[in-house]
Every structure is written in C-alpha cells, then in structure tokens.
Amino acid sequence: MKMTFLKGSLVALTAGLLSANVALAQDDDQAGSLDELLEMVRESRINESEEHRQREAEFRQERGQQQQLLEQARQTRAEEENRSETLEARYDEQELEVDAKRNQLNERLGSLRELFGHLTSTAGDLRSTINTSIISAQYPDRGEFLAGLIDKMNSNTRLPSIEEIERLWYEVQRQMVESGRIVTFNGEVIKPNGDKVEQEVVRIGSYNLVSEGKYLAFIPDGAKMEELARQPAGNIQDAAANLQAADSGLVRVGIDPTGPTGGSLLTALIDSPTWGERWHQGGGVGYVITAVGIFGFLLGIWRIIVLSAVSAKVSSQLKSSTPSANNPLGRVLQVAEDNKGVDPETLELKLEEAVLKERPKIESGLALLKIIAAVAPLMGLLGTVVGMILTFQAITIFGAGDPKNMAGGISSALITTVLGLVVAIPTVLLHTIVNGRAKRIIHILDEQTTGIVAENSERNK
C-alpha cells in the first residue's frame, strides 16, 4: 500500500517537474516536446562538465605559475639581502672616509674658522640693518646676496669665495657711505588711494624719504615706498619741497632720526591733532563755549570802541565852554545851564538825575562780560565731566587694555576746560578795560557835577 502511494507520488512529482521544465523550455528555447527538453538538459550537463574541466586546468596552471613566482620572490630577496650587506659595508667605509675628510677640513681651516664666524656675524648684522634701511629702496637686491652668503658660510660643504667676501666688505662700506648722502633717484611710490606712480624720490641719508614735498614711509617687505596719508603740518612739508627743488647749498629740512621706517617723532608729529581737530573734540559743549566766547569778545571790542569815542568827546567837552548834546558831559552841563537859578540842593538832585541817566549807557555790557567770564570756566568743567563719564563708560564696555585710547578720551574731555579758560581769560581782560573806561567817564561826570554844585552854592551865599 505504502509502495504504491510512494510510486504514485514520484510519478506525480516527475510529471510536475517535467511540466515546469516544459514551461521554462517553451519560454526560453521554445522546446516543442519532451524529447527536445531532455536533449537540451543533456547538452547543458555536457557544457557544464567541460566548463568545470577548463576551470580545473586553469587552476592547475596558475598553481604552477604561483610556485614559480614564489621561487622568483625568494631569489630576489636573497639578492637584495646580499646587496644590503654590500651597501652597509660601503656605508661604513664612506663614513670613515667622511670623518677623515672632516678632520682634514678642520685641520686645514684652522684660524679661518674664526674668520668665517666673524664674517657670518657681520653678514647677519648687515642683513638685519639692510632689511629695515631706507637705502634698500634705492638698492633693493642686497638682501638676496647676503642671504646666500650666510647660507654658504653656515654650510659644512661650501665655503665663500674671495669675491663674495670682498663684496661683503663693499656692502658694509656702501651702507656707511650712503647713510651720509642726500641723493635723488626714481622709484615707484604707492599713493594713499593705492595707485602706483613712478616719480622722483629724495633720500635724506638713512632717515627719511621725500617725494614731491610729501614724506614717504618705507615698507621693508618688498622694499616699497608709500606716501603717508597724513603729512606733518606747518613749514616742515614746505621745507621738504624746497629740498627737492634745490640744486646746491644748505636747505633746512625736518628729519626723524629715531627710525629708518618712520620713527616715533614723525609718527607723533603726524598723529598730533591740529587746532581745528582739537576744537571739534570738545563736542557740543565746546561749540557753545566758542559761541559765547565770540559773542563776549565782539561785545568787549564794541564797548571799547564806543567808550573810546565817548571818552574822546568828553575830553573835547572839557575844553569847550558850550555844552554839546553828543556826549554825556555835555548833556549834564546842559542840565546845569537850564537850572542856574535853582537852589544848590535842587541843582544837585537835577545833576545826579542826569548822571544816573547817562550811567546805564556808559556801563552797558559790563554785567554781561562779567557773567561770560564767570560762566565760561563752569561750562568747560561741565564738558570735562561729561567727557570723563563717556570715557569711563567706554572703559566699562571695552576695558582698559589700550591706555592710548583711554588717554585720548581723557584728552578730548579736557578740551572743553581749555576752551572755557581760553574764553574766560580774554573776557576778564576785556571786562577790566571796558570797566576802566566807563569808570573814567563816570568819574569825570561826578567831578564836573560836584564842581558845578559847589560853584552854585558859592554864588548863592
């Protein structure tokens, strides 16, 4: 029973496989029957057997080649080991020979080694001097020679030639000679806007470079010349232009001996603010102080002129017996003329009234000048306090790492104090002059009125 079931199952499975193979064959090679399908399976097995045999043959062949390659690698290793031993032996021999040559070189150099040491030191010092010297703007190729000479003298296998040693001596002498000469040469100058212009340059020894009346800064990196964006003020720049235009003789010119590339003196001179810049540093308070000072100055000058004219008229009136209405004394005398018949007390009151009428005109502006003289320093102090507050606020925010910036802020704050004093001192002087002239006129009026009252009292006795 079981055998029959198994046999039936195998038949069914075989039929299923054959039907699947038939379907595949129909899809791939379009087999028409079962016989064709069996033939195709047999041919496929034959092809696979041939492919396996071919692969096996290739593997055996490569295996033989690998054995041959292994033998070649072993032979190469042996040859290289022999070559390495030969090279090591040659290296030891050459090392001994190098030591012998080095000892021979040291023995033959003798005192020359000390000479080369001095030459190296001299060349190094000269190179550092040349790199920052403005003379290199005229002779820019000296540093390359010195660099090559120093490398050669520091080498154990090369020595400098007699020509190179003589040129080193020549460069030392040329540096000394050129540092004392004022020469003119053509060079490329970098303008403040970045343009490069070929123009005539005057070199003042090893101190400064001047071109077209402008001072130049020397940039060691590339031996470049750059026109300073800000030039020194005053007659220093005019003197530089006169030097470039001169053919012979002595010319006064400003030089900076503190540094070949633009020393501290020239930098301080350039960075010093002008009077206009200092005035602008005062800010709004400074502008107000200036306006008040101008007003006080004009008021004082005007009152001096007016009182001088009045004083001249009063002096003329003193010499005249006829009262004139164009001056205070004449108007007071006219009051006396109009009141000759009155009693002395009434006349005195009339004259005092006339003098009191003239006093405001004479003393006009005195109180205002006094107020300006007192207020100007206070306004300056106010500006200083405000400036210090702003300075300390900046220190709180940015810190006090740069004392230069902090000093600049304090300096700007103190400008208002200076402006206040500059206004107050002349105003005090003007007030004194105006007050003196006014008091002189009032004194003359008081003197004349007292004399008139006395004469009237004598007549009435």
Side-chain angles (χ1 to χ4, degrees), residues 4-18:
T4 305
F5 174 75
L6 290 174
K7 186 179 298 184
S9 297
L10 289 175
V11 171
L13 180 60
T14 302
L17 291 174
L18 289 176

Side-chain angles (χ1 to χ4, degrees), residues 314 317-318 329 332-333 336 351 355 441-455:
V314 169
Q317 183 64 57
L318 289 173
L329 181 58
V332 171
L333 294 177
L351 291 176
V355 172
I441 296 172
I442 293 173
H443 176 73
I444 293 173
L445 296 178
D446 292 337
E447 182 183 8
Q448 292 299 315
T449 55
T450 302
I452 292 171
V453 171
E455 289 179 359

Side-chain angles (χ1 to χ4, degrees), residues 285 377-393 409-410 412-417:
V285 178
L378 297 178
M379 294 179 66
L381 181 60
L382 172 63
T384 299
V385 172
V386 172
M388 293 298 294
I389 292 173
L390 296 177
T391 300
F392 283 111
Q393 286 179 350
I410 297 174
S412 300
L414 294 175
I415 290 296
T416 54
T417 301

Side-chain angles (χ1 to χ4, degrees), residues 346-362:
T346 304
L347 180 61
E348 183 179 0
L349 293 174
K350 292 286 185 180
L351 291 176
E352 287 181 358
E353 181 183 3
V355 172
L356 289 175
K357 284 183 179 181
E358 298 295 336
R359 185 182 288 271
K361 297 179 181 178
I362 297 172

Side-chain angles (χ1 to χ4, degrees), residues 93-112:
E93 294 176 359
Q94 291 180 349
E95 187 175 9
L96 294 175
E97 185 177 356
V98 168
D99 292 338
K101 294 293 183 181
R102 186 179 290 110
N103 294 331
Q104 184 180 2
L105 175 63
N106 293 332
E107 291 177 0
R108 292 186 178 182
L109 282 177
S111 59
L112 290 179

Side-chain angles (χ1 to χ4, degrees), residues 298-320:
L298 293 178
L299 177 61
I301 296 298
W302 170 250
R303 293 308 300 167
I304 290 174
I305 295 173
V306 170
L307 292 177
S308 297
V310 172
S311 179
K313 292 178 181 180
V314 169
S315 299
S316 299
Q317 183 64 57
L318 289 173
K319 299 176 183 179
S320 176

